[in-house]
Amino acid sequence: GEPYPCEGEAADVKTGLLADCGRTMPFVDRIVFTIEKEKIPAKTKFLQGYYDHPEVSRFDNFLDYDYDAKNSEAMARMLAERGIQLPKTLEISNWYLGFNWLDPVVGEGRTPEQKERNRKLRQALSIAIDWEEFVRVFESKAAGEPAMSAVPPGVFAFRPEAVNRTVYDIVDSRPQRKPIAAAKKLLAEAGYPDGRDAQTGQPLVLNYDYQRALTPELKAEVDWMVKQFARLGVQLELRATDYNRFQDKADKGSLQIFWWGWFADYPDAENFLFLLYGPNSQALTKGNGNNTANYRNPEFDRLFEEMRYLDDVPRKQQVVDRMVQILQDDAPWAFGYNPYAGSVHHAWLGNVKPSPLAQDRLLYY
């Protein structure tokens, strides 16, 4: 009995997603689900038209079909001939590399001199990790767009023009990752020329915690990360564990560098910035907080306490802008990427729009 929406994004008009404005939903009388035990027959049956939609509850199916289309002219031609649609958006989520603020090497540091050295080390590593290459190399399961901050697209106060100037230069009006020479300069200023301690001559060895067992597929991603650090002469030691062990180490604050991510509970910048709010520290709250990096910055925390109660008004934009600047300078995360979400469906199925936070999608089909 609910009416179909009459408002949407600008692109929704062009794609006909608002043509049913005001009509009573639902439009489909009956939905039939079929459980397929194997990926290949499920995919084949969809391509042959037995299924209208391969899997309505997930959005990573899109990456599989999109990858096939980009890497096979025959598949791209088949999808086009059969009118198969591949709409995509960016998930309100992020994946990132975190630095533990409690760690003496990559964390906050105790003295003003050490704080500055550690900050330059984090900035150097953030430049060296080429996320543009990551989403290109692993596009069949990790496609997306490099993130500029902890605030993802799709929430109020996200600014596409808020380029992370710690990591990127602007070239021809577009962000371009700083050259590796800039990262090496920062590394030397941090006290580790060519990846060695300037005082002892010992190589800089950092520990990387990964929260899953290394299957051959995941090992390729981890090996890629090791190579990014090696570009600076920094050795990255892998500590792959199961999820429970990873969480136990996070609760105790014993991680140094770690891979982590977050999917929005609700579409608000607060739901991402709280991941870096000092009182939310996972170690200092004995596992009750979600600030796994244990990041603390007095100005950031003060602004967060103001921002969390603001409606979507200009003042909130101003506060978030400043918080983003602080994070870009402090670099408690190498911000990683915002993954794509997408849908795959035949042309005869209408009103399909990938929207990961919506759970009532069948109502609109």
Side-chain angles (χ1 to χ4, degrees):
E2 294 183 33
Y4 189 86
C6 292
E7 297 180 4
E9 297 177 306
D12 295 339
V13 177
K14 297 179 182 178
T15 55
L17 284 171
L18 297 179
D20 286 320
C21 163
R23 288 185 58 200
T24 300
M25 300 185 293
F27 303 127
V28 176
D29 297 318
R30 182 166 171 260
I31 301 286
V32 178
F33 287 94
T34 302
I35 297 174
E36 289 283 356
K37 295 182 179 180
E38 298 290 339
K39 177 179 179 179
I40 292 177
K43 192 171 183 178
T44 301
K45 290 178 185 178
F46 168 73
L47 291 173
Q48 292 176 344
Y50 287 101
Y51 299 140
D52 306 293
H53 199 306
E55 191 174 1
V56 297
S57 61
R58 296 181 67 94
F59 291 94
D60 49 4
N61 283 289
F62 163 83
L63 297 178
D64 187 21
Y65 289 87
D66 186 57
Y67 178 82
D68 288 347
K70 288 177 179 177
N71 291 276
S72 168
E73 291 184 7
M75 176 60 79
R77 188 164 53 251
M78 178 194 298
L79 296 176
E81 289 172 352
R82 299 182 183 183
I84 293 174
Q85 307 295 301
L86 294 166
K88 73 176 180 180
T89 185
L90 282 168
E91 279 191 354
I92 306 180
S93 66
N94 55 24
W95 289 99
Y96 60 87
L97 207 71
F99 303 107
N100 184 4
W101 213 243
L102 304 177
D103 184 82
V105 178
V106 300
E108 180 181 19
R110 293 186 176 181
T111 66
E113 295 78 13
Q114 189 64 46
K115 288 181 179 181
E116 183 64 11
R117 286 183 58 190
N118 290 9
R119 183 175 66 87
K120 289 185 175 182
L121 172 59
R122 294 190 303 273
Q123 291 179 342
L125 296 174
S126 296
I127 293 170
I129 303 171
D130 190 345
W131 294 106
E132 286 82 4
E133 181 181 85
F134 183 86
V135 298
R136 187 171 64 250
V137 171
F138 302 105
E139 65 176 344
S140 64
K141 64 181 293 292
E145 296 181 7
M148 295 294 170
S149 77
V151 180
V155 300
F156 179 84
F158 168 78
R159 283 190 191 272
E161 68 273 20
V163 174
N164 184 355
R165 299 304 292 268
T166 297
V167 175
Y168 292 88
D169 293 321
I170 302 297
V171 179
D172 296 329
S173 302
R174 296 176 62 85
Q176 180 174 298
R177 183 170 294 274
K178 290 179 183 290
I180 197 68
K184 289 182 176 181
K185 181 175 182 295
L186 283 168
L187 190 68
E189 292 173 358
Y192 304 101
D194 298 319
R196 290 183 174 272
D197 191 301
Q199 296 181 345
T200 66
Q202 294 297 312
L204 176 61
V205 181
L206 301 174
N207 298 312
Y208 178 41
D209 278 276
Y210 200 85
Q211 74 277 23
R212 282 178 284 175
L214 287 187
T215 63
E217 184 180 29
L218 291 176
K219 188 175 185 307
E221 294 182 26
V222 173
D223 287 346
W224 179 90
M225 189 65 72
V226 172
K227 290 178 181 177
Q228 303 306 297
F229 282 68
R231 297 170 70 199
L232 296 176
V234 177
Q235 297 180 28
L236 193 63
E237 294 289 335
L238 178 62
R239 294 179 172 181
T241 59
D242 62 35
Y243 183 79
N244 289 337
R245 174 64 178 142
F246 176 88
Q247 284 287 23
D248 182 60
K249 293 170 77 172
D251 291 347
K252 294 177 180 177
S254 61
L255 304 174
Q256 187 175 43
I257 299 175
F258 57 93
W259 171 265
W260 211 214
W262 187 258
F263 184 88
D265 297 302
Y266 43 90
D268 194 290
E270 183 271 340
N271 192 230
F272 288 87
L273 294 172
F274 93 115
L275 298 170
L276 290 158
Y277 176 51
N280 240 3
S281 164
Q282 186 166 344
L284 300 182
T285 59
K286 298 180 179 180
N288 291 315
N290 290 106
N291 178 357
T292 308
N294 303 300
Y295 174 68
R296 291 174 298 178
N297 178 297
E299 183 184 2
F300 180 91
D301 291 345
R302 177 180 57 78
L303 290 169
F304 178 86
E305 288 162 4
E306 177 185 359
M307 179 273 302
R308 68 195 304 183
Y309 298 115
L310 290 174
D311 292 327
D312 292 348
V313 296
R315 175 57 184 165
K316 183 174 181 177
Q317 181 72 68
Q318 295 170 357
V319 172
V320 172
D321 285 347
R322 177 57 188 152
M323 294 172 77
V324 165
Q325 290 174 354
I326 293 170
L327 294 178
Q328 290 174 341
D329 186 57
D330 275 350
W333 294 354
F335 291 110
Y337 72 101
N338 304 121
Y340 287 132
S343 185
V344 186
H345 63 277
H346 283 284
W348 57 75
L349 184 63
N351 297 339
V352 181
K353 180 177 180 176
S355 47
L357 285 182
Q359 298 298 318
D360 59 350
R361 292 179 290 272
L362 293 173
L363 185 65
Y364 303 89
Y365 290 173

